Amino acid sequence: MKYCKRTTLTHPLSVQYPKEVELINQIFLTEGFKSYSFEEEVALNLDKIEIKKSKGLSRKATVDLAIGISRVQRNAQILLVELKFEVKRPGNISKKEIEEKIKHSIELLTHVVPVSEKKVLLFNDNIIQQARSAITRLYHNSPKMAIEVKTVEDFKQTYF
């Protein structure tokens, strides 16, 4: 499955909150990534959508972005992506925090387009091995939770 701009742009949240559909590069920069890796690809900025939906009231945590993926514009799904570019010590990541972000992101996205079973956590290159080890330890008894730990380049090669 690869990135599908059409799936991203036609999702009901993209239609309802068009200003919160942003260039992936812009979301990455906001979350601490220091370079441009994408061209014109866009994503739903779930943090901003949650802020708008909650109208300043008790905001729930979400993953940072969601993109549409499909197989030749068939079997469209939404892929949840959490950006961990500012993490220095992956061993301090909370399983509960990750799961709450995923759970609320799925609730926010509704069930119009299925959410992929895979979820992606992106880290900087210099800590990727530590991050993979930490997430593997967190989820070693959770086979149903398909968490992929990737660098930006890995993410781009896999999904774009």
PDB file of all heavy atoms in Angstrom, residues 93-100 102 121 133-147:
ATOM      1  N   ILE A  93       9.490   6.289  26.478  1.00  0.00           N
ATOM      2  CA  ILE A  93       8.197   6.388  25.800  1.00  0.00           C
ATOM      3  C   ILE A  93       7.172   5.531  26.535  1.00  0.00           C
ATOM      4  O   ILE A  93       7.449   4.398  26.928  1.00  0.00           O
ATOM      5  CB  ILE A  93       8.316   5.964  24.323  1.00  0.00           C
ATOM      6  CG1 ILE A  93       9.164   6.993  23.583  1.00  0.00           C
ATOM      7  CG2 ILE A  93       6.953   5.806  23.674  1.00  0.00           C
ATOM      8  CD1 ILE A  93       9.486   6.615  22.168  1.00  0.00           C
ATOM      9  N   SER A  94       5.983   6.075  26.697  1.00  0.00           N
ATOM     10  CA  SER A  94       4.921   5.398  27.427  1.00  0.00           C
ATOM     11  C   SER A  94       3.998   4.629  26.476  1.00  0.00           C
ATOM     12  O   SER A  94       3.438   5.209  25.540  1.00  0.00           O
ATOM     13  CB  SER A  94       4.112   6.445  28.201  1.00  0.00           C
ATOM     14  OG  SER A  94       2.854   5.956  28.550  1.00  0.00           O
ATOM     15  N   LYS A  95       3.817   3.356  26.758  1.00  0.00           N
ATOM     16  CA  LYS A  95       2.887   2.533  25.982  1.00  0.00           C
ATOM     17  C   LYS A  95       1.467   3.072  26.108  1.00  0.00           C
ATOM     18  O   LYS A  95       0.731   3.158  25.114  1.00  0.00           O
ATOM     19  CB  LYS A  95       2.958   1.081  26.483  1.00  0.00           C
ATOM     20  CG  LYS A  95       2.078   0.116  25.728  1.00  0.00           C
ATOM     21  CD  LYS A  95       2.275  -1.302  26.264  1.00  0.00           C
ATOM     22  CE  LYS A  95       1.408  -2.297  25.533  1.00  0.00           C
ATOM     23  NZ  LYS A  95       1.626  -3.671  26.028  1.00  0.00           N
ATOM     24  N   LYS A  96       1.095   3.476  27.293  1.00  0.00           N
ATOM     25  CA  LYS A  96      -0.248   4.013  27.523  1.00  0.00           C
ATOM     26  C   LYS A  96      -0.478   5.268  26.680  1.00  0.00           C
ATOM     27  O   LYS A  96      -1.534   5.441  26.075  1.00  0.00           O
ATOM     28  CB  LYS A  96      -0.450   4.318  29.007  1.00  0.00           C
ATOM     29  CG  LYS A  96      -1.821   4.849  29.340  1.00  0.00           C
ATOM     30  CD  LYS A  96      -1.972   5.126  30.819  1.00  0.00           C
ATOM     31  CE  LYS A  96      -3.359   5.687  31.091  1.00  0.00           C
ATOM     32  NZ  LYS A  96      -3.493   6.155  32.461  1.00  0.00           N
ATOM     33  N   GLU A  97       0.509   6.146  26.626  1.00  0.00           N
ATOM     34  CA  GLU A  97       0.383   7.376  25.833  1.00  0.00           C
ATOM     35  C   GLU A  97       0.200   7.047  24.348  1.00  0.00           C
ATOM     36  O   GLU A  97      -0.672   7.615  23.688  1.00  0.00           O
ATOM     37  CB  GLU A  97       1.625   8.248  26.013  1.00  0.00           C
ATOM     38  CG  GLU A  97       1.606   9.487  25.137  1.00  0.00           C
ATOM     39  CD  GLU A  97       2.943  10.211  25.113  1.00  0.00           C
ATOM     40  OE1 GLU A  97       3.883   9.827  25.823  1.00  0.00           O
ATOM     41  OE2 GLU A  97       3.037  11.180  24.335  1.00  0.00           O
ATOM     42  N   ILE A  98       1.001   6.130  23.829  1.00  0.00           N
ATOM     43  CA  ILE A  98       0.884   5.738  22.415  1.00  0.00           C
ATOM     44  C   ILE A  98      -0.509   5.181  22.152  1.00  0.00           C
ATOM     45  O   ILE A  98      -1.177   5.557  21.187  1.00  0.00           O
ATOM     46  CB  ILE A  98       1.958   4.699  22.042  1.00  0.00           C
ATOM     47  CG1 ILE A  98       3.348   5.331  22.075  1.00  0.00           C
ATOM     48  CG2 ILE A  98       1.680   4.099  20.653  1.00  0.00           C
ATOM     49  CD1 ILE A  98       4.478   4.317  21.974  1.00  0.00           C
ATOM     50  N   GLU A  99      -0.953   4.268  23.000  1.00  0.00           N
ATOM     51  CA  GLU A  99      -2.245   3.619  22.784  1.00  0.00           C
ATOM     52  C   GLU A  99      -3.414   4.592  22.903  1.00  0.00           C
ATOM     53  O   GLU A  99      -4.387   4.486  22.162  1.00  0.00           O
ATOM     54  CB  GLU A  99      -2.390   2.432  23.724  1.00  0.00           C
ATOM     55  CG  GLU A  99      -1.449   1.311  23.317  1.00  0.00           C
ATOM     56  CD  GLU A  99      -1.466   0.113  24.246  1.00  0.00           C
ATOM     57  OE1 GLU A  99      -2.121   0.162  25.312  1.00  0.00           O
ATOM     58  OE2 GLU A  99      -0.805  -0.876  23.890  1.00  0.00           O
ATOM     59  N   GLU A 100      -3.321   5.553  23.824  1.00  0.00           N
ATOM     60  CA  GLU A 100      -4.392   6.554  23.944  1.00  0.00           C
ATOM     61  C   GLU A 100      -4.435   7.461  22.711  1.00  0.00           C
ATOM     62  O   GLU A 100      -5.507   7.801  22.225  1.00  0.00           O
ATOM     63  CB  GLU A 100      -4.215   7.373  25.218  1.00  0.00           C
ATOM     64  CG  GLU A 100      -4.599   6.585  26.449  1.00  0.00           C
ATOM     65  CD  GLU A 100      -4.380   7.344  27.752  1.00  0.00           C
ATOM     66  OE1 GLU A 100      -3.901   8.505  27.724  1.00  0.00           O
ATOM     67  OE2 GLU A 100      -4.676   6.767  28.808  1.00  0.00           O
ATOM     68  N   ILE A 102      -3.502   6.633  19.677  1.00  0.00           N
ATOM     69  CA  ILE A 102      -4.039   5.814  18.584  1.00  0.00           C
ATOM     70  C   ILE A 102      -5.550   5.667  18.736  1.00  0.00           C
ATOM     71  O   ILE A 102      -6.310   5.870  17.785  1.00  0.00           O
ATOM     72  CB  ILE A 102      -3.338   4.438  18.531  1.00  0.00           C
ATOM     73  CG1 ILE A 102      -1.898   4.609  18.056  1.00  0.00           C
ATOM     74  CG2 ILE A 102      -4.103   3.464  17.633  1.00  0.00           C
ATOM     75  CD1 ILE A 102      -1.030   3.365  18.217  1.00  0.00           C
ATOM     76  N   LEU A 121       5.649   5.013  13.937  1.00  0.00           N
ATOM     77  CA  LEU A 121       6.348   5.963  14.803  1.00  0.00           C
ATOM     78  C   LEU A 121       7.628   6.360  14.080  1.00  0.00           C
ATOM     79  O   LEU A 121       8.420   5.488  13.711  1.00  0.00           O
ATOM     80  CB  LEU A 121       6.702   5.347  16.155  1.00  0.00           C
ATOM     81  CG  LEU A 121       5.564   4.809  17.020  1.00  0.00           C
ATOM     82  CD1 LEU A 121       6.122   4.203  18.306  1.00  0.00           C
ATOM     83  CD2 LEU A 121       4.573   5.893  17.349  1.00  0.00           C
ATOM     84  N   SER A 133      14.326  -0.969  19.612  1.00  0.00           N
ATOM     85  CA  SER A 133      14.483  -1.841  20.775  1.00  0.00           C
ATOM     86  C   SER A 133      13.462  -1.500  21.863  1.00  0.00           C
ATOM     87  O   SER A 133      12.811  -2.388  22.430  1.00  0.00           O
ATOM     88  CB  SER A 133      15.906  -1.699  21.312  1.00  0.00           C
ATOM     89  OG  SER A 133      16.082  -2.485  22.453  1.00  0.00           O
ATOM     90  N   ALA A 134      13.281  -0.217  22.138  1.00  0.00           N
ATOM     91  CA  ALA A 134      12.345   0.215  23.180  1.00  0.00           C
ATOM     92  C   ALA A 134      10.908  -0.164  22.827  1.00  0.00           C
ATOM     93  O   ALA A 134      10.166  -0.669  23.681  1.00  0.00           O
ATOM     94  CB  ALA A 134      12.460   1.724  23.392  1.00  0.00           C
ATOM     95  N   ILE A 135      10.499   0.060  21.584  1.00  0.00           N
ATOM     96  CA  ILE A 135       9.123  -0.245  21.174  1.00  0.00           C
ATOM     97  C   ILE A 135       8.904  -1.757  21.134  1.00  0.00           C
ATOM     98  O   ILE A 135       7.834  -2.242  21.522  1.00  0.00           O
ATOM     99  CB  ILE A 135       8.785   0.418  19.822  1.00  0.00           C
ATOM    100  CG1 ILE A 135       8.918   1.947  19.931  1.00  0.00           C
ATOM    101  CG2 ILE A 135       7.401   0.010  19.336  1.00  0.00           C
ATOM    102  CD1 ILE A 135       8.065   2.608  20.993  1.00  0.00           C
ATOM    103  N   THR A 136       9.904  -2.506  20.710  1.00  0.00           N
ATOM    104  CA  THR A 136       9.795  -3.977  20.722  1.00  0.00           C
ATOM    105  C   THR A 136       9.573  -4.474  22.148  1.00  0.00           C
ATOM    106  O   THR A 136       8.736  -5.338  22.387  1.00  0.00           O
ATOM    107  CB  THR A 136      11.059  -4.623  20.119  1.00  0.00           C
ATOM    108  OG1 THR A 136      11.175  -4.199  18.758  1.00  0.00           O
ATOM    109  CG2 THR A 136      10.990  -6.143  20.178  1.00  0.00           C
ATOM    110  N   ARG A 137      10.292  -3.911  23.111  1.00  0.00           N
ATOM    111  CA  ARG A 137      10.107  -4.300  24.521  1.00  0.00           C
ATOM    112  C   ARG A 137       8.704  -3.940  25.011  1.00  0.00           C
ATOM    113  O   ARG A 137       8.068  -4.711  25.720  1.00  0.00           O
ATOM    114  CB  ARG A 137      11.155  -3.638  25.411  1.00  0.00           C
ATOM    115  CG  ARG A 137      12.489  -4.347  25.403  1.00  0.00           C
ATOM    116  CD  ARG A 137      13.404  -3.859  26.527  1.00  0.00           C
ATOM    117  NE  ARG A 137      13.633  -2.423  26.533  1.00  0.00           N
ATOM    118  CZ  ARG A 137      14.518  -1.782  25.792  1.00  0.00           C
ATOM    119  NH1 ARG A 137      15.270  -2.452  24.951  1.00  0.00           N
ATOM    120  NH2 ARG A 137      14.662  -0.472  25.883  1.00  0.00           N
ATOM    121  N   LEU A 138       8.213  -2.762  24.625  1.00  0.00           N
ATOM    122  CA  LEU A 138       6.877  -2.342  25.060  1.00  0.00           C
ATOM    123  C   LEU A 138       5.785  -3.266  24.539  1.00  0.00           C
ATOM    124  O   LEU A 138       4.794  -3.518  25.215  1.00  0.00           O
ATOM    125  CB  LEU A 138       6.573  -0.919  24.573  1.00  0.00           C
ATOM    126  CG  LEU A 138       7.171   0.251  25.324  1.00  0.00           C
ATOM    127  CD1 LEU A 138       6.764   1.566  24.664  1.00  0.00           C
ATOM    128  CD2 LEU A 138       6.762   0.253  26.779  1.00  0.00           C
ATOM    129  N   TYR A 139       5.958  -3.743  23.310  1.00  0.00           N
ATOM    130  CA  TYR A 139       4.893  -4.493  22.642  1.00  0.00           C
ATOM    131  C   TYR A 139       5.208  -5.974  22.441  1.00  0.00           C
ATOM    132  O   TYR A 139       4.540  -6.626  21.657  1.00  0.00           O
ATOM    133  CB  TYR A 139       4.558  -3.832  21.294  1.00  0.00           C
ATOM    134  CG  TYR A 139       3.801  -2.548  21.498  1.00  0.00           C
ATOM    135  CD1 TYR A 139       4.461  -1.329  21.547  1.00  0.00           C
ATOM    136  CD2 TYR A 139       2.428  -2.558  21.700  1.00  0.00           C
ATOM    137  CE1 TYR A 139       3.768  -0.147  21.773  1.00  0.00           C
ATOM    138  CE2 TYR A 139       1.729  -1.390  21.927  1.00  0.00           C
ATOM    139  CZ  TYR A 139       2.400  -0.197  21.963  1.00  0.00           C
ATOM    140  OH  TYR A 139       1.714   0.967  22.192  1.00  0.00           O
ATOM    141  N   HIS A 140       6.128  -6.517  23.186  1.00  0.00           N
ATOM    142  CA  HIS A 140       6.505  -7.916  22.964  1.00  0.00           C
ATOM    143  C   HIS A 140       5.367  -8.897  23.232  1.00  0.00           C
ATOM    144  O   HIS A 140       5.346  -9.976  22.664  1.00  0.00           O
ATOM    145  CB  HIS A 140       7.755  -8.288  23.763  1.00  0.00           C
ATOM    146  CG  HIS A 140       7.518  -8.482  25.223  1.00  0.00           C
ATOM    147  ND1 HIS A 140       7.418  -7.435  26.110  1.00  0.00           N
ATOM    148  CD2 HIS A 140       7.354  -9.607  25.948  1.00  0.00           C
ATOM    149  CE1 HIS A 140       7.197  -7.899  27.320  1.00  0.00           C
ATOM    150  NE2 HIS A 140       7.154  -9.208  27.259  1.00  0.00           N
ATOM    151  N   ASN A 141       4.412  -8.544  24.051  1.00  0.00           N
ATOM    152  CA  ASN A 141       3.266  -9.426  24.315  1.00  0.00           C
ATOM    153  C   ASN A 141       1.977  -8.924  23.670  1.00  0.00           C
ATOM    154  O   ASN A 141       0.888  -9.316  24.059  1.00  0.00           O
ATOM    155  CB  ASN A 141       3.044  -9.583  25.826  1.00  0.00           C
ATOM    156  CG  ASN A 141       4.097 -10.457  26.467  1.00  0.00           C
ATOM    157  OD1 ASN A 141       4.614 -11.367  25.835  1.00  0.00           O
ATOM    158  ND2 ASN A 141       4.430 -10.170  27.708  1.00  0.00           N
ATOM    159  N   SER A 142       2.108  -8.045  22.701  1.00  0.00           N
ATOM    160  CA  SER A 142       0.938  -7.458  22.042  1.00  0.00           C
ATOM    161  C   SER A 142       0.998  -7.681  20.534  1.00  0.00           C
ATOM    162  O   SER A 142       1.182  -6.742  19.768  1.00  0.00           O
ATOM    163  CB  SER A 142       0.869  -5.951  22.332  1.00  0.00           C
ATOM    164  OG  SER A 142       0.858  -5.711  23.700  1.00  0.00           O
ATOM    165  N   PRO A 143       0.813  -8.903  20.085  1.00  0.00           N
ATOM    166  CA  PRO A 143       0.948  -9.166  18.644  1.00  0.00           C
ATOM    167  C   PRO A 143      -0.094  -8.446  17.791  1.00  0.00           C
ATOM    168  O   PRO A 143       0.129  -8.195  16.623  1.00  0.00           O
ATOM    169  CB  PRO A 143       0.786 -10.679  18.539  1.00  0.00           C
ATOM    170  CG  PRO A 143       0.086 -11.091  19.778  1.00  0.00           C
ATOM    171  CD  PRO A 143       0.459 -10.095  20.840  1.00  0.00           C
ATOM    172  N   LYS A 144      -1.230  -8.084  18.384  1.00  0.00           N
ATOM    173  CA  LYS A 144      -2.273  -7.425  17.593  1.00  0.00           C
ATOM    174  C   LYS A 144      -1.932  -5.969  17.277  1.00  0.00           C
ATOM    175  O   LYS A 144      -2.521  -5.366  16.396  1.00  0.00           O
ATOM    176  CB  LYS A 144      -3.615  -7.519  18.295  1.00  0.00           C
ATOM    177  CG  LYS A 144      -3.672  -6.735  19.588  1.00  0.00           C
ATOM    178  CD  LYS A 144      -5.023  -6.812  20.244  1.00  0.00           C
ATOM    179  CE  LYS A 144      -4.986  -5.943  21.489  1.00  0.00           C
ATOM    180  NZ  LYS A 144      -6.075  -6.028  22.333  1.00  0.00           N
ATOM    181  N   MET A 145      -0.990  -5.381  18.012  1.00  0.00           N
ATOM    182  CA  MET A 145      -0.615  -3.989  17.788  1.00  0.00           C
ATOM    183  C   MET A 145       0.572  -3.950  16.832  1.00  0.00           C
ATOM    184  O   MET A 145       1.688  -4.278  17.202  1.00  0.00           O
ATOM    185  CB  MET A 145      -0.256  -3.310  19.109  1.00  0.00           C
ATOM    186  CG  MET A 145       0.024  -1.838  18.978  1.00  0.00           C
ATOM    187  SD  MET A 145      -1.359  -0.838  18.379  1.00  0.00           S
ATOM    188  CE  MET A 145      -2.312  -0.657  19.856  1.00  0.00           C
ATOM    189  N   ALA A 146       0.323  -3.586  15.599  1.00  0.00           N
ATOM    190  CA  ALA A 146       1.363  -3.544  14.575  1.00  0.00           C
ATOM    191  C   ALA A 146       1.975  -2.143  14.527  1.00  0.00           C
ATOM    192  O   ALA A 146       1.497  -1.267  13.817  1.00  0.00           O
ATOM    193  CB  ALA A 146       0.796  -3.936  13.222  1.00  0.00           C
ATOM    194  N   ILE A 147       3.037  -1.944  15.301  1.00  0.00           N
ATOM    195  CA  ILE A 147       3.721  -0.661  15.355  1.00  0.00           C
ATOM    196  C   ILE A 147       4.996  -0.781  14.537  1.00  0.00           C
ATOM    197  O   ILE A 147       5.830  -1.645  14.798  1.00  0.00           O
ATOM    198  CB  ILE A 147       4.087  -0.271  16.801  1.00  0.00           C
ATOM    199  CG1 ILE A 147       2.860  -0.232  17.697  1.00  0.00           C
ATOM    200  CG2 ILE A 147       4.878   1.024  16.832  1.00  0.00           C
ATOM    201  CD1 ILE A 147       2.108   1.050  17.737  1.00  0.00           C
TER     202      ILE A 147
END
